[in-house]
Amino acid sequence: MIFSGPPVDVPATNLSEFVLRRADAYGDTPAVVDVSGGGQLTHAELAATARGCAAGLRAKGFGPGDVLAVLSPNCPEYPAIAHAATGAGGAVVVLNPLDTERDLAARLTESGARLLVVAPADLERGTALAAKAGLDEVLTTAPAPGARPFTALADDAGDPAAGAVRELDPARDPAALLHSSGSTGHPKTVVLTHRNLVAKALLTSMVAPIEPGEVVLAVPPFHHAFGLTMMMNATLLQGGTLITVPRFDPEAFLRAIEDHRVTRLYVVPTMAVLLARSPLVDRYDLSSLRSIVSGGAALDPEIARLVRERIGCRIAQGYGMTESMVSFMQSDHPATDSSVGTPAPGVECRVVDTGTGEELNAEEIGEVLIRGPQVMRGYLDAGATDTAATAEVLGQDGFLRTGDLGYVGSDGELVLVDRIKELIKYKGQQVSPVELESVLLKHPKVADVAVVGVPDEEASEVPKGFVVAREPATAEELIAFVAERVAPYKKIRRIEFVDRIPRTPVGKVERRALRDRAA
């Protein structure tokens, strides 16, 4: 059966026109502020900058089908740059500054980017990348010696009539090219249309609304779907203020909440663990917080409970992928703490048997499939749609195969069990790493943990835990702790103590790296 959210009307329009449509009304309300106080733009200034630079891009012939690349940590100029590109009818490819030059050059070439905007500190690196990828121009996010700032694009506008936007098809033309994390396979470039991103901003404003003037701490990177589509665009749409943070540091994170009187946090689970357990929290005044949205990876219900009790504000997790973000959102009072909530407006969900593809009913576990206006157009390969990779996950009926195993309860809420590819096969039995991680996190001596399956001659695979200890512990006591709380076939068989768990920028465990280490 199909489980659906309420209907929604997604406007057929340019992304920037939609997100910035109320900017003049919000006027002098700050839209983006650097966490250090180094710079800011009001909503009116951001919209004027984006529109002026979009006109300059159009004068260069930039429009639907063209791509502008951004290589920068979060900064006040980032939203204006992105919305200049999409305002001109084109797309933005957002790049991770931590990636290697080889990967960045490949992504620039694959996307067909014409221009690159970099942070001033990365100007030399950006110039070298542009030469490799054959880009037209390199600009900087802010003025820098020997560089042209992106705001200079507005000077290129010339006759406004000469820069008229070529006809845009919001349902087909790309607005953003994002990269999947690659934590469970080879990274892919996700093509999101203007309609996709309009839907993402709209749905976020419906399932996790804020009031105009609320303050949002922008820690998740804008180069990730969570930061770009849920946090950045939805905040601007609703008249909120983004406090941009270039990199995460626990004390700086907590200090920023206090100093800027932050009301909304978007966090990944590792940040939620900090809020739940770190003694640092007691040194700061976090009373301004009204709500927290967790995304990027599964949030342990126990951690959510501890955050609610300690901070005294709402915390809910959403569910989606780079390909389908804002598919589900937990309510303030979920039927079960382990759920990710009900379908967002306009979103449909099916659960199917992993072997036969047969559609399942409520309470039956299978692969989660999602359809809706927020689901990607497809994957990119060498500048064109990768039809084979797209067809593997996106059916002709529009349902996206998520690769996640779960079920919809009788209350209509989705409960995720694990990633299908990450399930551990112990003597023919399926064991969930997430379940074992949840159990281990309840041990008072465990600060962080990840569980993977490692080869075993007798059992095919056995669960191995990688543990960051809060205080001295032994493998034997942790193995016994888990054994008392799970079925015999699910027991942890091996423990290795490590200094840190490798994670993606949004908190997903890099299980492939741990499996390689175990091997």
Side-chain angles (χ1 to χ4, degrees):
M1 61 186 297
I2 295 179
F3 306 88
S4 304
V8 66
D9 180 26
V10 178
T13 185
N14 174 294
L15 169 68
S16 296
E17 291 176 5
F18 178 75
V19 170
L20 303 179
R21 60 183 178 167
R22 300 174 187 152
D24 294 334
Y26 298 139
D28 292 336
T29 302
V32 275
V33 179
D34 182 81
V35 69
S36 67
Q40 75 169 41
L41 291 169
T42 66
H43 280 272
E45 289 170 339
L46 189 153
T49 300
R51 290 164 183 160
C53 293
L57 287 170
R58 288 194 295 270
K60 291 176 176 289
F62 186 99
D66 291 319
V67 178
L68 178 148
V70 186
L71 177 66
S72 171
N74 290 4
C75 63
E77 298 81 10
Y78 206 120
I81 297 165
H83 283 289
T86 56
V92 59
V93 56
V94 286
L95 303 171
N96 184 348
L98 298 179
D99 280 345
T100 65
E101 273 66 20
R102 179 180 177 181
D103 286 344
L104 290 170
R107 286 169 181 171
L108 287 168
T109 301
E110 176 193 61
S111 68
R114 289 181 52 184
L115 301 96
L116 172 64
V117 183
V118 300
D122 271 333
L123 179 59
E124 184 177 344
R125 184 188 191 196
T127 302
L129 286 168
K132 289 181 181 179
L135 273 62
D136 295 348
E137 188 175 7
V138 178
L139 304 153
T140 50
T141 57
R148 190 172 186 237
F150 90 98
T151 51
L153 287 171
D155 300 333
D156 301 335
D159 181 4
V165 181
R166 299 202 301 271
E167 186 175 353
L168 175 76
D169 181 353
R172 293 296 305 166
D173 286 325
L177 305 178
L178 301 176
H179 296 93
S180 63
S181 64
S183 58
T184 57
H186 186 70
K188 296 181 177 68
T189 301
V190 177
V191 180
L192 298 170
T193 66
H194 284 259
R195 183 171 188 265
N196 289 154
L197 290 185
V198 167
K200 291 174 189 293
L202 175 62
L203 298 191
T204 301
S205 71
M206 297 174 76
V207 300
I210 62 170
E211 298 177 5
E214 280 204 54
V215 180
V216 177
L217 191 62
V219 178
F222 291 147
H223 64 71
H224 188 275
F226 186 39
L228 183 77
T229 66
M230 286 195 73
M231 183 180 68
M232 186 183 92
N233 285 337
T235 299
L236 296 177
L237 172 66
Q238 298 172 92
T241 298
L242 290 160
I243 308 299
T244 58
V245 179
R247 64 189 60 83
F248 175 73
D249 171 80
E251 283 207 68
F253 169 70
L254 297 169
R255 188 182 305 113
I257 297 172
E258 177 180 280
D259 291 349
H260 292 275
R261 305 303 294 160
V262 171
T263 61
R264 159 69 62 83
L265 289 179
Y266 287 91
V267 304
V268 297
T270 49
M271 297 176 195
V273 171
L274 169 76
L275 293 171
R277 291 181 165 169
S278 174
L280 291 173
V281 172
D282 298 327
R283 302 180 192 173
Y284 296 91
D285 177 8
L286 308 186
S287 61
S288 60
L289 286 175
R290 302 181 195 173
S291 60
I292 301 172
V293 173
S294 179
L299 176 66
D300 184 85
E302 177 67 9
I303 295 299
R305 182 187 66 79
L306 291 173
V307 170
R308 279 193 294 268
E309 292 178 355
R310 188 180 195 187
I311 308 299
C313 72
R314 302 190 306 273
I315 180 169
Q317 66 174 325
Y319 168 64
M321 306 157 60
T322 303
E323 295 88 338
S324 65
M325 192 154 284
V326 206
S327 296
F328 284 75
M329 179 58 71
Q330 203 175 45
S331 68
D332 291 342
H333 304 288
T336 170
D337 285 342
S338 59
S339 86
V340 293
T342 54
V347 174
E348 298 173 289
C349 170
R350 295 168 56 212
V351 179
V352 301
D353 185 278
T354 56
T356 66
E358 179 183 354
E359 199 169 273
L360 302 176
N361 297 314
E363 308 290 349
E364 295 182 308
I365 296 176
E367 183 177 8
V368 178
L369 276 60
I370 290 172
R371 179 170 66 186
Q374 85 292 6
V375 172
M376 69 169 185
R377 192 188 82 182
Y379 293 119
L380 190 73
D381 181 33
T385 301
D386 187 338
T387 53
T390 301
E392 187 177 342
V393 299
L394 193 58
Q396 292 185 346
D397 58 2
F399 274 96
L400 176 78
R401 295 184 58 186
T402 66
D404 286 317
L405 198 64
Y407 65 91
V408 176
S410 56
D411 46 39
E413 296 189 358
L414 177 65
V415 177
L416 297 176
V417 176
D418 214 323
R419 290 286 297 171
I420 292 173
K421 291 181 180 179
E422 293 176 359
L423 291 175
I424 300 166
K425 306 296 175 59
Y426 175 80
K427 294 184 177 180
Q429 299 275 10
Q430 293 186 334
V431 180
S432 165
V434 171
E435 179 185 357
L436 296 178
E437 289 164 359
S438 178
V439 173
L440 273 169
L441 278 171
K442 291 180 172 65
H443 195 287
K445 295 182 180 179
V446 173
D448 199 5
V449 64
V451 175
V452 300
V454 296
D456 182 85
E457 186 174 349
E458 179 184 350
S460 181
E461 285 185 310
V462 296
K464 176 175 180 177
F466 291 85
V467 173
V468 179
R470 190 185 308 279
E471 57 184 271
T474 66
E476 290 75 19
E477 69 178 298
L478 297 183
I479 289 172
F481 179 83
V482 175
E484 292 172 0
R485 291 162 174 79
V486 299
Y489 71 89
K490 295 182 180 180
K491 292 191 297 185
I492 293 275
R493 310 286 164 162
R494 304 174 192 171
I495 291 284
E496 180 178 339
F497 293 97
V498 294
D499 294 331
R500 58 178 289 275
I501 301 297
R503 297 180 183 273
T504 68
V506 292
K508 290 183 181 178
V509 174
E510 290 277 14
R511 298 190 195 277
R512 186 171 54 183
L514 291 174
R515 282 192 289 266
D516 290 346
R517 174 181 177 132

